[in-house]
Amino acid sequence: MGLAMSYLRLPQSLEGEPDPGRIARLVFGAADWRRRHSATQLLDVGGAWQGLHYLLTGDPWDGRPPEADAVCGGRLLTEDGAAELGMDVIYLAPERVKPAADHLVSTPFDSIAGRYDLARMASAGVQDAAEWARRPPLEARDRMLRPAYDALTGFFVAAAGDGQAVYKLMS
């Protein structure tokens, strides 16, 4: 099993702390951080994250905002401290959340589904693409990536509507 991605939406300032790095350590430094937040603040896309990014951008890692911001875009907060938290944390400021949400809403899944080419995805290094190729032809796309995309869209719309920042966790 490869890396998994989870999302947490939070106010720009937490307990009077405006620094995203300190907020990340405050929140994710607690072993029970998931229990401390409501289900509406959390989203787990598991191993679908890189497939989603590829469908959005055509690349497993890179891309331009706002489409890349939905998955891989943002500021890595744990470049030196990932061992401290046991995960990488990527921060997306509220002013970047809104354009990403708008892009997701204006880009229905069917408009990016044409990029779903498992041979290309596997050769580009998209996590799990080779595994997905062993399943029925469109199973991963329709049973995993489509629902994850719809949930991601709803999550970003809610975060943008509340003026929140998004923290992305890779573990």
Side-chain angles (χ1 to χ4, degrees):
M1 183 172 148
L3 291 172
M5 184 174 274
S6 299
Y7 293 77
L8 179 66
R9 58 189 189 96
L10 293 170
Q12 194 165 4
S13 175
L14 189 65
E15 297 177 15
E17 178 57 64
D19 180 86
R22 288 193 197 119
I23 291 172
R25 281 167 180 72
L26 245 170
V27 171
F28 306 116
D32 64 343
W33 69 266
R34 285 180 185 274
R35 270 188 331 126
R36 295 178 181 214
H37 297 90
S38 74
T40 60
Q41 289 178 276
L42 288 163
L43 173 66
D44 288 315
V45 296
W49 67 272
Q50 198 169 31
L52 291 171
H53 188 78
Y54 185 88
L55 294 182
L56 280 162
T57 66
D59 189 273
W61 293 104
D62 293 324
R64 295 183 325 234
E67 59 268 17
D69 282 347
V71 182
C72 289
R75 187 176 94 193
L76 181 62
L77 298 176
T78 53
E79 191 167 343
D80 298 325
E84 173 188 340
L85 295 177
M87 65 188 88
D88 276 323
V89 179
I90 302 166
Y91 170 75
L92 194 65
E95 59 270 10
R96 288 177 65 180
V97 170
K98 173 85 169 96
D102 292 344
H103 178 78
L104 290 167
V105 166
S106 68
T107 309
F109 185 81
D110 288 334
S111 71
I112 61 171
R115 286 192 176 132
Y116 183 80
D117 178 331
L118 290 175
R120 279 196 173 156
M121 292 168 73
S123 72
V126 172
Q127 175 179 284
D128 295 336
E131 150 78 31
W132 298 339
R134 291 190 278 276
R135 297 179 184 181
L138 300 177
E139 181 180 321
R141 186 193 76 183
D142 294 337
R143 291 191 181 184
M144 189 164 128
L145 296 173
R146 183 183 300 270
Y149 187 82
D150 293 343
L152 186 65
T153 301
F155 180 86
F156 266 82
V157 166
D162 290 343
Q164 294 178 317
V166 170
Y167 290 79
K168 304 168 197 179
L169 313 132
M170 305 263 318
S171 57

